[in-house]
Amino acid sequence: TDISGLKSITYSLNGGTPTTANAASTSLNITTDGTTVLSYFATDNAGNSEAVKSLTIKLDKTAPTITASAKKADGTAYTPGSSTNQAVTVSFNCSDATSGISGSCPANQVFSTEGSFSASGSVSDNAGNTANTSLAIKIDQTAPTASPTQSPAANANGWNNTDVIVSWNWTDNAGGAG
């Protein structure tokens, strides 16, 4: 216990110019992402100063990044949301500039059956910030069906003697990617 009372706190950030402040009202906000080393010591009213101490503060307020890209089975790029008849492999790329990725980036996801899918991935950094991404995948492996009709219908011998209008009725895999 100091009987003369606390006079001031002297501190510096990352080896910068020291600042001396009235101890009774001293506070310091660390707002910049990264590692900050705070060096400090207290001085009492009798002129006694403690040895310099330090505190390392790590701050990361910025979310990591995650991006997704996709390739079809033949190695060509897949445009998210478009239809393909090939399997699609989605790959993720993750990064974090300050605290680093916690764990690992999501593994590749392979879609090879017919249907509409969402490839989703998330990542966290070592400070607890998170980021997410997703891609829409559509795989259609069923051929469409065309059913033409003609008007007027052909005669009993299969012939027409006037102009014929052909109308097309198309169907596609209604339950798949379309």
Side-chain angles (χ1 to χ4, degrees):
T1 303
D2 191 306
I3 61 173
S4 69
L6 188 58
K7 177 181 179 183
S8 64
I9 298 286
T10 301
Y11 64 90
S12 67
L13 300 175
N14 295 326
T17 303
T19 300
T20 300
N22 179 329
S25 63
T26 300
S27 66
L28 179 63
N29 288 332
I30 306 297
T31 60
T32 304
D33 278 12
T35 301
T36 300
V37 177
L38 170 65
S39 299
Y40 62 94
F41 64 91
T43 302
D44 67 14
N45 288 314
N48 300 307
S49 295
E50 70 176 326
V52 176
K53 298 177 183 175
S54 67
L55 174 65
T56 300
I57 301 156
K58 296 179 179 181
L59 179 63
D60 181 358
K61 301 182 291 183
T62 306
T65 60
I66 182 171
T67 57
S69 61
K71 288 191 177 185
K72 296 184 277 188
D74 66 6
T76 60
Y78 171 75
T79 302
S82 65
S83 291
T84 182
N85 62 0
Q86 300 179 44
V88 175
T89 300
V90 177
S91 302
F92 298 94
N93 184 18
C94 303
S95 64
D96 185 75
T98 307
S99 65
I101 298 297
S102 175
S104 60
C105 204
N108 290 354
Q109 296 177 17
V110 178
F111 299 88
S112 58
T113 59
E114 188 167 82
S116 294
F117 308 95
S118 178
S120 299
S122 64
V123 64
S124 297
D125 66 17
N126 287 309
N129 301 305
T130 60
N132 303 296
T133 191
S134 64
L135 286 179
I137 308 293
K138 292 181 181 180
I139 299 176
D140 183 354
Q141 297 169 327
T142 303
T145 304
S147 303
T149 56
Q150 70 180 53
S151 177
N155 67 20
N157 296 319
W159 287 92
N160 288 80
N161 60 8
T162 62
D163 292 345
V164 175
I165 297 174
V166 176
S167 298
W168 295 97
N169 296 309
W170 298 90
T171 57
D172 197 5
N173 181 17

